Amino acid sequence: MNQQTKNIFVHLKRDALAGTVTGVMAVPLTVGICLMSDYPIMTGLYTVIFAGVISFITYLFRPGNFTGMPGVAAGLAPALALGVSTFGMENMPFVIALTAIFQAIVWKFKWEKYILRVVPHYLVEGLLAGVGLKIALKFVPFLYDIEHETDTWLNWEREMVIALSIVSFVMFVMLYKYYKKRMPALPYFVIMVTSFLLSFVLPLPRVTIDSIPFQLQAPLPHLDGMNRQETLWVLFKMVGFALMLGTIDVIEQVMSHVAIEKIDPRKRKADTNNGLLPIWIANMGATFFGGMTNLDGLAKSTTNTVAGAVTKLSNLFTSLVLVLVVTFPSILAHLPEYALGIIMVYSGWKMIANIANVRSEGRYALIMAAVCGLLVFELGIFEGLLLLLGVHAGIQFVFMRRLGKSTADIWLEFRETFKPDEHIEMEIADMMQEPQVPVLNKWLKSVNKHDLEALMNLYADDAIMIPAFSSSVRKNRDEVKDLYQDLFEKDDVKVSQVDVVTHRVDGLKIDSGVYELIWKSGGFEKRNKLRFSFVIKDGKIISHHSSLVPDED
């Protein structure tokens, strides 16, 4: 019995409660995303149920993150709607099957890190902001829709719905603000319960639920009535669309992994590649019942984590809640549109507001993210992202030529981007032939792997750090940890050791030398050489000092 299986029995009660809370919150989100995707609501619920079960099964032998909950993704809703309008609902299972095959290849060869290097994360934030704007505008009419239209637009019924929407929206935002760290599902629960009760006494438009039976069918293309040339062209478009859909799904999943790892109650390291396994399996399986794409959504995953989940067993209880909903669909028939509108407009706004996360990357990144969002809103996800990637590549090329680099040098740097990370460790290993510096060797490897837990194990509890890029002296291991967490927020952070000298004084070991810190900002590589000294006692760093190497004249 492995550790994951043992943990399941130890934390059964906590996971059951957390999964149930997450299931209640997942219902309105799934309904809203289905409406945005032009998919039947029941199909979306089937997808979340299936993805939750698959996520639990793969967790038992190849855990990715530990508290994430998969489901249909708001960020992919407009893309799915575009697919439905372009290829027809009957062809979407085949398109998603192609998407799953692409994702399986990415998982098998661990290509997700290369996709992230080609598509800067700030463009993804811009893409999601554009999608968020689409979602928000799509559901704004739900906030003033009425059952009985009259000759005058503003009547007592609409005034009542608008007033109810305003009061409920303010209440939702306030509850979310004050309880997001303790009970993030509370605002969803309050909105659903109050709107459900009001639906019995007030004339409120309700969500329409079409009964879709669970049927299994092979995900084959339906291209009847086309000649050979038309068939080949449509298949080509399907492959291109699937590549776009799969790429966005992979990037969103990887970004979600980073966020879920940060809020993990036990600070466990998430395995990004393992996290892709349940996603592509669930996507492939969903094609046999006409399901949608899925990933570990941040809203559901955050709720699951804060509600007390410790393992993926919680996913089974979330799926169980949704099983009850699809078994008794009349529950959803009493969900007023205004409540769903509040939840989805707020979700869209959160996606737009997240673009502020790239401010620390500089003006260039913020401008590119904003332009990407506008292009995605106006032109669509595929066209907007591709256009911005081309513009980004052109700007980088012009900038590097102005720095005096030849086209050959630029091409060489681009190829270096796709070198596997292992070459960094090989370079370090070559430089670290001396057995006298094992702590420094471990430090270099831990930083390059972004392994925060291994890194903190190298420092004493009362370790002191004087960092190069901060005026604040870190006086214990927790404060040192905060600094590294901020450091790992940068793109492609890595270090390489340039020189080191070791000597001993009164039982203390001191490693002094120079290392180079490398990261990316605004898509451009930054390098700084830093002088450092480690004071080591009993195999632990008790003092770490670093400072910038001055520029040579």
Side-chain angles (χ1 to χ4, degrees), residues 447-483:
V447 172
N448 286 318
K449 289 182 177 180
H450 294 193
D451 190 340
L452 192 59
E453 183 177 351
L455 199 55
M456 289 303 97
N457 286 336
L458 298 176
Y459 287 85
D461 291 338
D462 57 351
I464 294 175
M465 172 187 275
I466 303 176
F469 299 106
S470 173
S471 59
S472 175
V473 177
R474 315 292 164 138
K475 299 177 181 179
N476 55 58
R477 186 159 58 183
D478 288 337
E479 293 182 2
V480 172
K481 183 178 181 179
D482 289 340
L483 183 139

Side-chain angles (χ1 to χ4, degrees), residues 313-359:
L313 179 63
S314 58
N315 290 181
L316 288 186
F317 287 91
T318 299
S319 295
L320 182 59
V321 171
L322 298 183
V323 168
L324 293 175
V325 173
V326 299
T327 304
F328 304 101
S330 58
I331 297 173
L332 286 178
H334 285 281
L335 179 63
E337 287 185 357
Y338 87 88
L340 185 61
I342 289 170
I343 292 171
M344 295 308 297
V345 168
Y346 188 74
S347 298
W349 163 248
K350 290 289 290 183
M351 294 172 71
I352 297 170
N354 283 341
I355 202 171
N357 294 336
V358 304
R359 286 183 300 179

Side-chain angles (χ1 to χ4, degrees), residues 504-553:
R504 297 179 182 274
V505 179
D506 296 332
L508 300 176
K509 181 172 175 289
I510 303 173
D511 292 336
S512 302
V514 177
Y515 61 79
E516 188 170 36
L517 179 65
I518 308 165
W519 75 95
K520 285 187 177 179
S521 177
F524 301 105
E525 190 173 78
K526 305 287 186 181
R527 291 175 176 264
N528 280 116
K529 286 187 178 180
L530 289 90
R531 297 175 292 199
F532 75 93
S533 62
F534 288 165
V535 180
I536 302 164
K537 181 179 181 181
D538 299 328
K540 299 284 188 180
I541 301 172
I542 62 173
S543 178
H544 176 183
H545 175 274
S546 62
S547 61
L548 280 170
V549 174
D551 295 331
E552 297 180 359
D553 294 333

